[in-house]
Amino acid sequence: MGVTFAETGLKSLCKVDGETYRRWKIREVRRRNGLATLGVVLFVSVIAKVTLIVAVNESARLLARMFYGVMFIIGVGTYIFLWINAEKNVKSKKLDAVYKGMAQVIVAYPLTVQYFDVDGNVIMKQVDLQGQRILSVGTFVKIVTEDDEIVKVIE
């Protein structure tokens, strides 16, 4: 016998507007990459300042400035390049099969959830999201799926 909606309290997934989801995804990319770029800038700046304070003579300071200037340009340039490519990928990606809904955690580690797809079939999937907290079994979570893959789990 199969599991029914009433037994679990779950509903079928519902379709998400592609353009609304694209705007949300672009904001997420900007936030994540902006924080990463800021982290690189702060890290290199702090190390450069400490090195300049410790440097004894003017030639050592000049060498340190040149070295950390190049490292700054390389680091920030790399992150900005990755940022632009990530945004370009989101803008050009087809987002026809994006759905959201509720799922129930059935295994805490590795995180496995069950939910009902659009047609009402029970789907059990293991979620491969890095940095995901361990949730207790039986917890209901919100999920977002792209092309039948769970891309976001929200408590």
Side-chain angles (χ1 to χ4, degrees):
M1 249 170 42
V3 180
T4 64
F5 291 123
E7 291 175 7
T8 61
L10 297 175
K11 296 178 184 175
S12 292
L13 295 177
C14 59
K15 189 161 181 63
V16 175
D17 178 48
E19 288 309 309
T20 304
Y21 183 70
R22 185 182 316 277
R23 284 192 301 272
W24 175 81
K25 194 91 164 161
I26 288 172
R27 275 195 317 268
E28 186 73 19
V29 165
R30 287 179 180 163
R31 185 188 63 80
R32 186 179 55 240
N33 287 310
L35 289 174
T37 304
L38 180 64
V40 167
V41 167
L42 291 175
F43 182 73
V44 172
S45 297
V46 167
I47 291 179
K49 297 235 189 284
V50 169
T51 305
L52 291 174
I53 290 170
V54 174
V56 178
N57 56 19
E58 193 59 37
S59 63
R61 285 189 184 125
L62 180 62
L63 187 60
R65 282 186 189 125
M66 288 175 43
F67 176 73
Y68 286 111
V70 169
M71 296 310 294
F72 179 80
I73 291 169
I74 290 172
V76 171
T78 301
Y79 275 98
I80 289 174
F81 174 75
L82 293 173
W83 184 345
I84 290 169
N85 281 340
E87 272 194 42
K88 195 182 304 181
N89 288 343
V90 170
K91 288 178 182 177
S92 65
K93 189 174 188 179
K94 280 185 68 176
L95 297 173
D96 294 337
V98 179
Y99 297 93
K100 70 177 181 177
M102 294 294 288
Q104 185 175 23
V105 177
I106 55 173
V107 177
Y109 188 80
L111 183 60
T112 306
V113 296
Q114 79 175 3
Y115 59 94
F116 289 101
D117 66 1
V118 178
D119 300 326
N121 300 322
V122 177
I123 307 290
M124 291 188 346
K125 283 213 174 164
Q126 184 173 333
V127 181
D128 186 27
L129 300 175
Q130 296 179 354
Q132 185 66 44
R133 285 184 351 115
I134 295 178
L135 301 169
S136 58
V137 174
T139 304
F140 289 94
V141 294
K142 295 178 184 177
I143 60 170
V144 177
T145 65
E146 280 182 35
D147 300 322
D148 295 329
E149 290 297 318
I150 299 174
V151 294
K152 186 145 183 96
V153 175
I154 306 165
E155 295 179 51

